[in-house]
Amino acid sequence: MAMTEVMTVNMGPQHPSTHGVLRLVLELDGEVIVKATPHIGFLHRGVEKLSEYRTYHQTLPLTDRLDYLAPMSNNLGYVLAVEKLLGLTDAIPERAQTIRVIMAELTRLKSHLVWLACHALDIGAMTVFLYCFRERENVMDIYEQVSGARMTSNYFRVGGLSDDFPDGLEKKIRDFVDEMPGHVDTYEGLLTGNKIWQKRTQGVGVISAEDAINIGLTGPALRGSGVDLDLRRDNPYSGYEKYDFEVPTSTECDTWARYLVRLTEMRQSCRILRQALDSLKPGPILADAPKVCLPPKKDVVNTIEGLIHQFKIITEGFKPEPGEVYQEIEAPKGILGYYIISDGSAKPYRMKIRPPSFVNLQALPQMVEGSLIADAVAVIGTLDIVLGEIDR
Amino acid sequence: MTENAAVGKLKEKFSGSVLDVTEFRGETTVTVKKEDIVAICAFAKKELGYNLLSDVCGVDYLGRAPRFMVVYHLFNISTKERLRLKAPVEEKDPRIDTVSGIWATANWHERECWDLMGIVFNNHPDLRRILMPDDWEGHPLRKDYPLQGPDREPYQGRLS
C-alpha cells in the first residue's frame, strides 16, 4: 500500500478569489481538505480604536471603507445607530428615509453583482464577470452623482442625507431598475442550466440550518440553509415595513442554494426600488435637529446663527446622553451591527462593529473540510466575504 | 416600565447573579455575575430561545472598578427579540468563562476580544490572536494603549 502523507498548502495571502488579503492554511490528503485554518488581520486598520478619538460626524467616513463593495450599507448602519442613541429615529423626514432605501437597495445590487462576477470567475465563467461589472458601472455612476465618489460614498448623515438627489437622477435609476431584471435573466441563462456550474455548486459547502445558526451565519448564506430571517422585514428600519417584497429561502443548504437566493434577492431589490421611486415625494432631507445636523449652506453664508451652528458642529460635534445602543441592519452580506456606547461626550466611548463577513468566514473550515481543494474556492466565493470588513 | 418577559425568568432562575437591569431606547440590558455566565447563556439559549449570538465584545472602563465589561448581544430568530447581557471583569485577573460551547460563533468573537482587549476566556478551544500578529505586545483597544502605537511620539505638528 502506498504511503500517504498530509501536505500543507498555503492558499493566499493574496488569491484571486478573495476580496482582500486572506491566508488559508489547508492540510491536504491528496486533493481532499483535512483541515482549513483561516488567518486574517492583514488589513486591520483599527477603525474601532480610531472612532474613540473622533466625533460622531468624523467617524462616518471610516465606516464606508470597511465593506468597500457596499459602502452605503455600512453608512446606513452607523447613522441609524447614532440616531437611535440620540433618540432621533422618529424625526427622520420621509424623503430622506426613501432615498436611504433606494441607495441601500442599489448597494445590494452592486454588492451582489460583484459577488456573482467573482464567484463565477472563480469557477471559470469569464463572460458573467464582464457582464456584471458592466451593470455595476451604472450603480457606480449613480453613486458618483449623489455623493461625488464612486466607492467611498459618505452620503448619509446623522439626521438625514448630505444632499438631495440631483436633477434627472430619478429617471436614471428608474431606467436602470427597468433593465436590471433582464440582465439577471441573462446571468441565469448563462449559469443555471450550465452543467459545469451545476456540478461545481450543487452539494458543495453544505451547512445545515442548525449549524448555520450556531456558527452565526447570516444573510443569504443563512437563508440558503432554509432559515427565514431578513431584518428588513422582521425588524424594519428606514421605513422598510412599507414595501412589499419576498424573502427568498432555499433548503438545499449548498452553494447552489445560496446562488439562487442571491439572484432572487436581486430581483426583489428591483421590486423595492420601483416602489420606493414611486413613493418619492419632495420634502426636507434633514431632520429638524439644529444641534446635530449642519445648517443649510445659504444660512451659513448669510446669517451669523447659521455660521455659529456650522462652526460648533464641525469643531465640537454633538453630545448624546450617556447610554448604549445596538443597531443591526440587513446588509448585502448579512446582519451588520453597530454597538455604540456614549459617555456623554462628543466622541463615541466605544464602538463595536459586528461585520457579517467576519462571522461568515468562521464557517469556512466547517464547510470545506472533507471536500476537494477546488471546492474551497467555490465556498469562499459563495460566502461573499470582504476582508476590509473582517479586519476593520 | 414594562419588563421584558425573559428578564423576569432570568431573575427568577438566577436571583443571586442578576446585578442590574436597565432599559435605554427600548433595549434591555441585564448585568450578571461573570461566575454564572455559562449557566445563564445556556439557559437563555435553551429555555428563552435566544438561538443566535449576534456579537460578543469587551468594553474598557478605565479608572472604574471592575474595569472591563464583556457584552453579549443575543437574538431570538423566532420572536425577533433582543437581549443584551453584560458581565463585569476585574482588571487584576481579567478572566471569564467561554460561551463557545453554547454558540460556536463565540469562538472568533472571543478570540478578537482577547486579542484587542486582553480578556482571557477560560476553556476556550483555540485562544490565539486573530487580528494582530502572534508576537504583538499589548492589547490595542484598551484605553491606556496609545492611539499611535506603543513606541511612537504623538504627532506634534511641523518641526521646522
PDB file of all heavy atoms in Angstrom, chain A residues 21-48:
ATOM      1  N   VAL A  21      -6.942  40.444   1.660  1.00  0.00           N
ATOM      2  CA  VAL A  21      -5.816  39.581   1.982  1.00  0.00           C
ATOM      3  C   VAL A  21      -6.243  38.523   2.987  1.00  0.00           C
ATOM      4  O   VAL A  21      -6.520  38.825   4.139  1.00  0.00           O
ATOM      5  CB  VAL A  21      -4.647  40.411   2.555  1.00  0.00           C
ATOM      6  CG1 VAL A  21      -3.364  39.636   2.428  1.00  0.00           C
ATOM      7  CG2 VAL A  21      -4.545  41.746   1.873  1.00  0.00           C
ATOM      8  N   LEU A  22      -6.298  37.310   2.536  1.00  0.00           N
ATOM      9  CA  LEU A  22      -6.695  36.194   3.400  1.00  0.00           C
ATOM     10  C   LEU A  22      -5.716  35.058   3.167  1.00  0.00           C
ATOM     11  O   LEU A  22      -5.443  34.685   2.026  1.00  0.00           O
ATOM     12  CB  LEU A  22      -8.112  35.730   3.047  1.00  0.00           C
ATOM     13  CG  LEU A  22      -8.569  34.399   3.640  1.00  0.00           C
ATOM     14  CD1 LEU A  22      -8.762  34.519   5.145  1.00  0.00           C
ATOM     15  CD2 LEU A  22      -9.867  33.942   3.005  1.00  0.00           C
ATOM     16  N   ARG A  23      -5.184  34.530   4.280  1.00  0.00           N
ATOM     17  CA  ARG A  23      -4.310  33.361   4.140  1.00  0.00           C
ATOM     18  C   ARG A  23      -5.060  32.165   4.683  1.00  0.00           C
ATOM     19  O   ARG A  23      -5.547  32.190   5.811  1.00  0.00           O
ATOM     20  CB  ARG A  23      -3.009  33.589   4.903  1.00  0.00           C
ATOM     21  CG  ARG A  23      -2.103  32.399   4.874  1.00  0.00           C
ATOM     22  CD  ARG A  23      -0.718  32.768   5.375  1.00  0.00           C
ATOM     23  NE  ARG A  23       0.018  31.580   5.718  1.00  0.00           N
ATOM     24  CZ  ARG A  23       0.504  31.331   6.935  1.00  0.00           C
ATOM     25  NH1 ARG A  23       0.334  32.197   7.908  1.00  0.00           N
ATOM     26  NH2 ARG A  23       1.162  30.223   7.165  1.00  0.00           N
ATOM     27  N   LEU A  24      -5.111  31.160   3.852  1.00  0.00           N
ATOM     28  CA  LEU A  24      -5.835  29.954   4.235  1.00  0.00           C
ATOM     29  C   LEU A  24      -4.821  28.819   4.263  1.00  0.00           C
ATOM     30  O   LEU A  24      -4.211  28.511   3.241  1.00  0.00           O
ATOM     31  CB  LEU A  24      -6.901  29.689   3.169  1.00  0.00           C
ATOM     32  CG  LEU A  24      -8.195  29.027   3.552  1.00  0.00           C
ATOM     33  CD1 LEU A  24      -8.879  29.808   4.651  1.00  0.00           C
ATOM     34  CD2 LEU A  24      -9.100  28.992   2.336  1.00  0.00           C
ATOM     35  N   VAL A  25      -4.617  28.242   5.431  1.00  0.00           N
ATOM     36  CA  VAL A  25      -3.693  27.117   5.519  1.00  0.00           C
ATOM     37  C   VAL A  25      -4.504  25.837   5.376  1.00  0.00           C
ATOM     38  O   VAL A  25      -5.362  25.543   6.213  1.00  0.00           O
ATOM     39  CB  VAL A  25      -2.930  27.138   6.855  1.00  0.00           C
ATOM     40  CG1 VAL A  25      -1.993  25.947   6.946  1.00  0.00           C
ATOM     41  CG2 VAL A  25      -2.152  28.421   6.989  1.00  0.00           C
ATOM     42  N   LEU A  26      -4.234  25.124   4.293  1.00  0.00           N
ATOM     43  CA  LEU A  26      -5.002  23.911   4.018  1.00  0.00           C
ATOM     44  C   LEU A  26      -4.124  22.696   4.232  1.00  0.00           C
ATOM     45  O   LEU A  26      -3.007  22.641   3.725  1.00  0.00           O
ATOM     46  CB  LEU A  26      -5.511  23.916   2.573  1.00  0.00           C
ATOM     47  CG  LEU A  26      -6.414  25.069   2.167  1.00  0.00           C
ATOM     48  CD1 LEU A  26      -6.671  25.011   0.669  1.00  0.00           C
ATOM     49  CD2 LEU A  26      -7.712  25.038   2.920  1.00  0.00           C
ATOM     50  N   GLU A  27      -4.631  21.756   4.999  1.00  0.00           N
ATOM     51  CA  GLU A  27      -3.923  20.473   5.122  1.00  0.00           C
ATOM     52  C   GLU A  27      -4.624  19.487   4.216  1.00  0.00           C
ATOM     53  O   GLU A  27      -5.811  19.228   4.367  1.00  0.00           O
ATOM     54  CB  GLU A  27      -3.927  20.016   6.583  1.00  0.00           C
ATOM     55  CG  GLU A  27      -2.965  20.842   7.423  1.00  0.00           C
ATOM     56  CD  GLU A  27      -3.088  20.570   8.906  1.00  0.00           C
ATOM     57  OE1 GLU A  27      -3.503  19.459   9.278  1.00  0.00           O
ATOM     58  OE2 GLU A  27      -2.785  21.487   9.684  1.00  0.00           O
ATOM     59  N   LEU A  28      -3.851  18.970   3.260  1.00  0.00           N
ATOM     60  CA  LEU A  28      -4.460  18.175   2.199  1.00  0.00           C
ATOM     61  C   LEU A  28      -4.020  16.711   2.263  1.00  0.00           C
ATOM     62  O   LEU A  28      -2.859  16.413   2.487  1.00  0.00           O
ATOM     63  CB  LEU A  28      -4.051  18.726   0.826  1.00  0.00           C
ATOM     64  CG  LEU A  28      -4.415  20.166   0.523  1.00  0.00           C
ATOM     65  CD1 LEU A  28      -3.801  20.567  -0.797  1.00  0.00           C
ATOM     66  CD2 LEU A  28      -5.908  20.332   0.477  1.00  0.00           C
ATOM     67  N   ASP A  29      -4.986  15.868   2.040  1.00  0.00           N
ATOM     68  CA  ASP A  29      -4.692  14.465   1.831  1.00  0.00           C
ATOM     69  C   ASP A  29      -5.035  14.201   0.363  1.00  0.00           C
ATOM     70  O   ASP A  29      -6.198  13.990   0.031  1.00  0.00           O
ATOM     71  CB  ASP A  29      -5.550  13.610   2.765  1.00  0.00           C
ATOM     72  CG  ASP A  29      -5.297  12.128   2.587  1.00  0.00           C
ATOM     73  OD1 ASP A  29      -4.391  11.788   1.807  1.00  0.00           O
ATOM     74  OD2 ASP A  29      -6.009  11.323   3.209  1.00  0.00           O
ATOM     75  N   GLY A  30      -4.044  14.263  -0.495  1.00  0.00           N
ATOM     76  CA  GLY A  30      -4.338  14.252  -1.923  1.00  0.00           C
ATOM     77  C   GLY A  30      -5.026  15.546  -2.283  1.00  0.00           C
ATOM     78  O   GLY A  30      -4.522  16.625  -2.009  1.00  0.00           O
ATOM     79  N   GLU A  31      -6.237  15.439  -2.834  1.00  0.00           N
ATOM     80  CA  GLU A  31      -6.979  16.638  -3.157  1.00  0.00           C
ATOM     81  C   GLU A  31      -8.012  16.988  -2.090  1.00  0.00           C
ATOM     82  O   GLU A  31      -8.750  17.971  -2.224  1.00  0.00           O
ATOM     83  CB  GLU A  31      -7.708  16.438  -4.492  1.00  0.00           C
ATOM     84  CG  GLU A  31      -6.938  16.936  -5.683  1.00  0.00           C
ATOM     85  CD  GLU A  31      -7.822  16.984  -6.901  1.00  0.00           C
ATOM     86  OE1 GLU A  31      -8.022  15.932  -7.529  1.00  0.00           O
ATOM     87  OE2 GLU A  31      -8.324  18.065  -7.200  1.00  0.00           O
ATOM     88  N   VAL A  32      -8.095  16.163  -1.061  1.00  0.00           N
ATOM     89  CA  VAL A  32      -9.141  16.346  -0.054  1.00  0.00           C
ATOM     90  C   VAL A  32      -8.617  17.212   1.093  1.00  0.00           C
ATOM     91  O   VAL A  32      -7.518  16.992   1.603  1.00  0.00           O
ATOM     92  CB  VAL A  32      -9.609  14.974   0.486  1.00  0.00           C
ATOM     93  CG1 VAL A  32     -10.662  15.160   1.567  1.00  0.00           C
ATOM     94  CG2 VAL A  32     -10.156  14.130  -0.640  1.00  0.00           C
ATOM     95  N   ILE A  33      -9.424  18.183   1.490  1.00  0.00           N
ATOM     96  CA  ILE A  33      -9.031  19.074   2.588  1.00  0.00           C
ATOM     97  C   ILE A  33      -9.317  18.377   3.918  1.00  0.00           C
ATOM     98  O   ILE A  33     -10.456  18.003   4.206  1.00  0.00           O
ATOM     99  CB  ILE A  33      -9.803  20.403   2.510  1.00  0.00           C
ATOM    100  CG1 ILE A  33      -9.511  21.105   1.194  1.00  0.00           C
ATOM    101  CG2 ILE A  33      -9.448  21.300   3.685  1.00  0.00           C
ATOM    102  CD1 ILE A  33     -10.419  22.261   0.903  1.00  0.00           C
ATOM    103  N   VAL A  34      -8.254  18.209   4.714  1.00  0.00           N
ATOM    104  CA  VAL A  34      -8.431  17.586   6.023  1.00  0.00           C
ATOM    105  C   VAL A  34      -8.732  18.668   7.057  1.00  0.00           C
ATOM    106  O   VAL A  34      -9.561  18.505   7.946  1.00  0.00           O
ATOM    107  CB  VAL A  34      -7.169  16.801   6.433  1.00  0.00           C
ATOM    108  CG1 VAL A  34      -7.359  16.140   7.770  1.00  0.00           C
ATOM    109  CG2 VAL A  34      -6.825  15.788   5.380  1.00  0.00           C
ATOM    110  N   LYS A  35      -8.031  19.791   6.918  1.00  0.00           N
ATOM    111  CA  LYS A  35      -8.192  20.859   7.897  1.00  0.00           C
ATOM    112  C   LYS A  35      -7.946  22.188   7.195  1.00  0.00           C
ATOM    113  O   LYS A  35      -7.021  22.297   6.375  1.00  0.00           O
ATOM    114  CB  LYS A  35      -7.178  20.674   9.026  1.00  0.00           C
ATOM    115  CG  LYS A  35      -7.391  21.586  10.219  1.00  0.00           C
ATOM    116  CD  LYS A  35      -6.532  21.097  11.377  1.00  0.00           C
ATOM    117  CE  LYS A  35      -6.796  21.863  12.650  1.00  0.00           C
ATOM    118  NZ  LYS A  35      -6.305  23.220  12.660  1.00  0.00           N
ATOM    119  N   ALA A  36      -8.761  23.162   7.509  1.00  0.00           N
ATOM    120  CA  ALA A  36      -8.571  24.501   6.941  1.00  0.00           C
ATOM    121  C   ALA A  36      -8.481  25.503   8.073  1.00  0.00           C
ATOM    122  O   ALA A  36      -9.298  25.479   8.986  1.00  0.00           O
ATOM    123  CB  ALA A  36      -9.742  24.862   6.031  1.00  0.00           C
ATOM    124  N   THR A  37      -7.465  26.360   8.042  1.00  0.00           N
ATOM    125  CA  THR A  37      -7.312  27.378   9.088  1.00  0.00           C
ATOM    126  C   THR A  37      -7.195  28.747   8.432  1.00  0.00           C
ATOM    127  O   THR A  37      -6.191  29.036   7.792  1.00  0.00           O
ATOM    128  CB  THR A  37      -6.036  27.110   9.917  1.00  0.00           C
ATOM    129  OG1 THR A  37      -5.969  25.718  10.198  1.00  0.00           O
ATOM    130  CG2 THR A  37      -6.056  27.899  11.212  1.00  0.00           C
ATOM    131  N   PRO A  38      -8.187  29.598   8.582  1.00  0.00           N
ATOM    132  CA  PRO A  38      -8.072  30.947   8.015  1.00  0.00           C
ATOM    133  C   PRO A  38      -7.239  31.855   8.920  1.00  0.00           C
ATOM    134  O   PRO A  38      -7.363  31.793  10.146  1.00  0.00           O
ATOM    135  CB  PRO A  38      -9.520  31.444   7.957  1.00  0.00           C
ATOM    136  CG  PRO A  38     -10.380  30.328   8.429  1.00  0.00           C
ATOM    137  CD  PRO A  38      -9.515  29.364   9.158  1.00  0.00           C
ATOM    138  N   HIS A  39      -6.371  32.650   8.315  1.00  0.00           N
ATOM    139  CA  HIS A  39      -5.622  33.667   9.045  1.00  0.00           C
ATOM    140  C   HIS A  39      -6.030  35.026   8.507  1.00  0.00           C
ATOM    141  O   HIS A  39      -5.882  35.287   7.317  1.00  0.00           O
ATOM    142  CB  HIS A  39      -4.121  33.468   8.875  1.00  0.00           C
ATOM    143  CG  HIS A  39      -3.605  32.263   9.592  1.00  0.00           C
ATOM    144  ND1 HIS A  39      -3.205  32.293  10.905  1.00  0.00           N
ATOM    145  CD2 HIS A  39      -3.479  30.992   9.190  1.00  0.00           C
ATOM    146  CE1 HIS A  39      -2.829  31.085  11.270  1.00  0.00           C
ATOM    147  NE2 HIS A  39      -2.989  30.275  10.252  1.00  0.00           N
ATOM    148  N   ILE A  40      -6.507  35.895   9.387  1.00  0.00           N
ATOM    149  CA  ILE A  40      -6.962  37.208   8.941  1.00  0.00           C
ATOM    150  C   ILE A  40      -6.157  38.278   9.671  1.00  0.00           C
ATOM    151  O   ILE A  40      -5.252  37.967  10.441  1.00  0.00           O
ATOM    152  CB  ILE A  40      -8.471  37.395   9.204  1.00  0.00           C
ATOM    153  CG1 ILE A  40      -8.763  37.290  10.690  1.00  0.00           C
ATOM    154  CG2 ILE A  40      -9.273  36.381   8.433  1.00  0.00           C
ATOM    155  CD1 ILE A  40     -10.160  37.680  11.066  1.00  0.00           C
ATOM    156  N   GLY A  41      -6.485  39.506   9.434  1.00  0.00           N
ATOM    157  CA  GLY A  41      -5.842  40.593  10.166  1.00  0.00           C
ATOM    158  C   GLY A  41      -4.865  41.394   9.335  1.00  0.00           C
ATOM    159  O   GLY A  41      -4.289  42.353   9.827  1.00  0.00           O
ATOM    160  N   PHE A  42      -4.669  41.008   8.081  1.00  0.00           N
ATOM    161  CA  PHE A  42      -3.695  41.725   7.261  1.00  0.00           C
ATOM    162  C   PHE A  42      -4.152  43.136   6.881  1.00  0.00           C
ATOM    163  O   PHE A  42      -3.353  43.960   6.492  1.00  0.00           O
ATOM    164  CB  PHE A  42      -3.400  40.923   5.985  1.00  0.00           C
ATOM    165  CG  PHE A  42      -2.820  39.567   6.256  1.00  0.00           C
ATOM    166  CD1 PHE A  42      -3.628  38.443   6.299  1.00  0.00           C
ATOM    167  CD2 PHE A  42      -1.471  39.415   6.485  1.00  0.00           C
ATOM    168  CE1 PHE A  42      -3.103  37.199   6.564  1.00  0.00           C
ATOM    169  CE2 PHE A  42      -0.932  38.170   6.739  1.00  0.00           C
ATOM    170  CZ  PHE A  42      -1.750  37.056   6.789  1.00  0.00           C
ATOM    171  N   LEU A  43      -5.453  43.376   6.957  1.00  0.00           N
ATOM    172  CA  LEU A  43      -5.986  44.693   6.590  1.00  0.00           C
ATOM    173  C   LEU A  43      -6.483  45.464   7.812  1.00  0.00           C
ATOM    174  O   LEU A  43      -7.264  46.392   7.685  1.00  0.00           O
ATOM    175  CB  LEU A  43      -7.165  44.529   5.621  1.00  0.00           C
ATOM    176  CG  LEU A  43      -6.846  44.288   4.169  1.00  0.00           C
ATOM    177  CD1 LEU A  43      -8.131  44.008   3.411  1.00  0.00           C
ATOM    178  CD2 LEU A  43      -6.190  45.493   3.577  1.00  0.00           C
ATOM    179  N   HIS A  44      -6.039  45.058   9.002  1.00  0.00           N
ATOM    180  CA  HIS A  44      -6.575  45.671  10.218  1.00  0.00           C
ATOM    181  C   HIS A  44      -6.118  47.119  10.329  1.00  0.00           C
ATOM    182  O   HIS A  44      -4.925  47.396  10.397  1.00  0.00           O
ATOM    183  CB  HIS A  44      -6.095  44.866  11.426  1.00  0.00           C
ATOM    184  CG  HIS A  44      -6.706  45.308  12.708  1.00  0.00           C
ATOM    185  ND1 HIS A  44      -6.053  45.241  13.902  1.00  0.00           N
ATOM    186  CD2 HIS A  44      -7.904  45.828  12.983  1.00  0.00           C
ATOM    187  CE1 HIS A  44      -6.830  45.694  14.860  1.00  0.00           C
ATOM    188  NE2 HIS A  44      -7.964  46.061  14.321  1.00  0.00           N
ATOM    189  N   ARG A  45      -7.102  48.052  10.339  1.00  0.00           N
ATOM    190  CA  ARG A  45      -6.762  49.469  10.386  1.00  0.00           C
ATOM    191  C   ARG A  45      -7.177  50.120  11.694  1.00  0.00           C
ATOM    192  O   ARG A  45      -7.045  51.315  11.868  1.00  0.00           O
ATOM    193  CB  ARG A  45      -7.453  50.195   9.226  1.00  0.00           C
ATOM    194  CG  ARG A  45      -6.898  49.801   7.884  1.00  0.00           C
ATOM    195  CD  ARG A  45      -7.936  49.959   6.807  1.00  0.00           C
ATOM    196  NE  ARG A  45      -9.002  48.990   6.965  1.00  0.00           N
ATOM    197  CZ  ARG A  45     -10.105  49.004   6.243  1.00  0.00           C
ATOM    198  NH1 ARG A  45     -10.302  49.917   5.357  1.00  0.00           N
ATOM    199  NH2 ARG A  45     -11.033  48.082   6.434  1.00  0.00           N
ATOM    200  N   GLY A  46      -7.744  49.332  12.603  1.00  0.00           N
ATOM    201  CA  GLY A  46      -8.097  49.876  13.904  1.00  0.00           C
ATOM    202  C   GLY A  46      -9.212  50.905  13.865  1.00  0.00           C
ATOM    203  O   GLY A  46      -9.161  51.904  14.575  1.00  0.00           O
ATOM    204  N   VAL A  47     -10.227  50.657  13.052  1.00  0.00           N
ATOM    205  CA  VAL A  47     -11.322  51.628  12.913  1.00  0.00           C
ATOM    206  C   VAL A  47     -12.040  51.846  14.243  1.00  0.00           C
ATOM    207  O   VAL A  47     -12.402  52.974  14.585  1.00  0.00           O
ATOM    208  CB  VAL A  47     -12.298  51.158  11.816  1.00  0.00           C
ATOM    209  CG1 VAL A  47     -13.579  51.951  11.858  1.00  0.00           C
ATOM    210  CG2 VAL A  47     -11.652  51.288  10.460  1.00  0.00           C
ATOM    211  N   GLU A  48     -12.194  50.781  15.021  1.00  0.00           N
ATOM    212  CA  GLU A  48     -12.898  50.929  16.290  1.00  0.00           C
ATOM    213  C   GLU A  48     -12.111  51.813  17.256  1.00  0.00           C
ATOM    214  O   GLU A  48     -12.676  52.620  17.988  1.00  0.00           O
ATOM    215  CB  GLU A  48     -13.163  49.553  16.907  1.00  0.00           C
ATOM    216  CG  GLU A  48     -14.220  48.795  16.142  1.00  0.00           C
ATOM    217  CD  GLU A  48     -14.277  47.323  16.496  1.00  0.00           C
ATOM    218  OE1 GLU A  48     -13.475  46.880  17.330  1.00  0.00           O
ATOM    219  OE2 GLU A  48     -15.126  46.625  15.935  1.00  0.00           O
TER     220      GLU A  48
END
